[in-house]
Amino acid sequence: MTDHARAALEHLRDPSQFRWYVIPLLLLVLHVYAVEVERRNWNAVLAGLALWGMDWFNEIWNALVLHATGRAPVWGATGPTAYQILVGLNIEICLMFAVMGVVAVKLLPADPALRIAGIPNRWLFAGVNSALAVGIEIFLHRAGVLTWDWPWWQASCPVLIWLLGYLPFFLVAFHVHDQPRIRTKVRTVATILAVDAAALTVFGTLGWL
């Protein structure tokens, strides 16, 4: 096992790491959703939950990579944190992703069919947002709080991080946002979260996370 993986596991789900700043951060996240609920902007609410659920899916398979290989996850979160949830996910990252989808869809053009420079705007915004997110990850990696121990997941080869790490998040969030019926949106989000919950329950019970 790599030193980075050991560092990420050292405080895994250790309640003694709790810091009070988590409470105001949580309230800020709830405020973001409360504002959209008050406006009955269900498109933003459900898109936000969809992206959050997609991140949970990624974090689960990332933890399973560590279990399966015994060497390292694809990415690890090793910086100071108020709570380490999974090997690559801390409470600060979790709260950030809870808001990211809401922010992303509020920046979308109103017309899903609009093309910008000949590119469908949803694909363009997903690609640009993903590229910005990868840029932030590279900064975090260089700061030593986000670790990469596999040669195919590195700053020197950012395409895979862009393609698997972020692009699906934004595409799914935008798809949920643009679906014409609320019932369909709810069903999609419920499916994502149900898969996450089932995986957390099964693999957590097995001790693989």
Side-chain angles (χ1 to χ4, degrees):
M1 186 177 293
T2 65
D3 291 340
H4 290 150
R6 291 191 185 94
L9 291 174
E10 184 177 351
H11 300 300
L12 188 65
R13 293 186 287 279
D14 178 3
S16 70
Q17 299 298 306
F18 175 77
R19 297 294 181 270
W20 278 105
Y21 67 76
V22 171
I23 304 302
L25 283 180
L26 176 60
L27 287 174
L28 288 173
V29 172
L30 293 176
H31 174 73
V32 169
Y33 279 90
V35 168
E36 301 308 322
V37 169
E38 183 180 29
R39 295 172 177 170
R40 297 189 178 277
N41 186 4
W42 307 117
N43 292 341
V45 170
L46 293 168
L49 292 175
L51 189 145
W52 185 62
M54 290 296 294
D55 178 62
W56 272 102
F57 181 80
N58 263 19
E59 298 293 351
I60 292 166
W61 70 252
N62 179 54
L64 291 176
V65 169
L66 172 60
H67 173 77
T69 64
R71 178 179 181 272
V74 180
W75 61 87
T78 58
T81 177
Y83 192 71
Q84 185 82 22
I85 304 171
L86 296 173
V87 68
L89 178 68
N90 57 39
I91 188 64
E92 296 86 355
I93 296 172
C94 182
L95 294 175
M96 181 269 293
F97 275 112
V99 175
M100 182 182 282
V102 176
V103 175
V105 298
K106 289 176 77 67
L107 297 174
L108 289 175
D111 182 6
L114 175 69
R115 288 177 175 265
I116 301 175
I119 304 172
N121 74 81
R122 276 15 182 192
W123 281 91
L124 178 62
F125 274 71
V128 171
N129 287 337
S130 298
L132 292 172
V134 171
I136 293 171
E137 286 222 357
I138 291 173
F139 168 79
L140 294 172
H141 173 66
R142 290 177 177 171
V145 296
L146 186 68
T147 62
W148 300 329
D149 285 319
W150 296 97
W152 37 266
W153 195 278
Q154 294 289 335
S156 59
C157 184
V159 174
L160 196 58
I161 305 174
W162 177 84
L163 183 63
L164 295 181
Y166 286 99
L167 189 62
F169 292 11
F170 291 106
L171 290 177
V172 169
F174 296 169
H175 174 67
V176 168
H177 177 272
D178 292 338
Q179 285 177 323
R181 301 179 62 190
I182 291 294
R183 181 176 298 178
T184 307
K185 300 175 194 285
V186 171
R187 187 181 299 120
T188 302
V189 172
T191 299
I192 294 170
L193 296 179
V195 170
D196 292 339
L200 287 169
T201 300
V202 172
F203 297 125
T205 301
L206 292 171
W208 294 2
L209 301 178

